[in-house]
């Protein structure tokens, strides 16, 4: 049997999605990535899921980062969104396939994670 994610994780993601206007979000996947200083995430679309009607919920822990939120094309202009420990970002609906990324992580130390950033993204993979 496939392991299930901790109940509290799914509940947190569903609550955040509902607050952003996406009620009924029932994530079935949680990707966890650990970023060390210098690491970046180039502009991309999250399109490995089968169900684009569900939003993406992203939880940031540890070192701060700058999230880039673009448009429907890679060449579209981006908005810089600072993300700190505990921040939750949600994108869905017409924004579900917008390009996004993360600038190179600055060196630092965080009480919760030490010298890194941890990001959890909740999805409906289908
Ligand atoms: C972030 N993460 O770390 C945004 N996408 O703030 C992502 O966009 C992401 O962590 C695809 C797969 C894993 C990710
Ligand atoms: Fe992504």
């Amino acid at each position: 049997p496939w392991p299930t994610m901790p109940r509290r994780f799914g509940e947190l993601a569903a609550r955040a999605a509902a607050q952003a206007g996406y009620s009924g979000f029932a994530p079935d996947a949680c990707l966890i990535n650990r970023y060390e200083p210098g690491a970046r995430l180039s502009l991309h679309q999250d399109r490995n899921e089968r169900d684009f009607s569900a939003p993406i919920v992203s939880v940031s822990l540890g070192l701060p980062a700058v999230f880039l939120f673009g448009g429907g094309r890679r060449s579209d202009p981006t908005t810089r969104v600072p993300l700190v420990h505990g921040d939750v970002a949600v994108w869905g609906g017409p924004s579900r396939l917008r390009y996004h990324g993360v600038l190179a992580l600055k060196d630092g130390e965080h009480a919760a994670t030490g010298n890194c950033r941890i990001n959890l993204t909740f999805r409906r993979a289908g």
Side-chain angles (χ1 to χ4, degrees), residues 33-109:
N33 284 279
R34 181 175 176 278
Y35 297 89
E36 296 187 328
R40 63 191 284 269
L41 195 56
S42 56
L43 283 179
H44 66 278
Q45 294 172 299
D46 288 3
R47 48 183 326 143
N48 285 331
E49 301 75 27
R50 206 173 298 162
D51 182 4
F52 295 146
S53 68
I56 300 284
V57 174
S58 162
V59 176
S60 293
L61 298 174
L63 290 180
V66 178
F67 186 72
L68 296 177
F69 200 47
R73 294 191 254 202
R74 191 186 297 277
S75 56
D76 285 340
T78 58
T79 301
R80 294 178 175 215
V81 184
L83 294 178
V84 300
H85 179 73
D87 279 348
V88 183
V90 180
W91 62 99
S95 294
R96 173 63 177 75
L97 289 175
R98 279 167 73 170
Y99 278 86
H100 58 279
V102 179
L103 292 183
L105 202 69
K106 282 193 177 159
D107 199 8
E109 198 66 27

Side-chain angles (χ1 to χ4, degrees), residues 14-37:
R15 273 205 307 278
Q19 277 194 41
Y22 306 104
S23 58
F25 179 48
D28 61 5
C30 174
L31 288 183
I32 304 180
N33 284 279
R34 181 175 176 278
Y35 297 89
E36 296 187 328

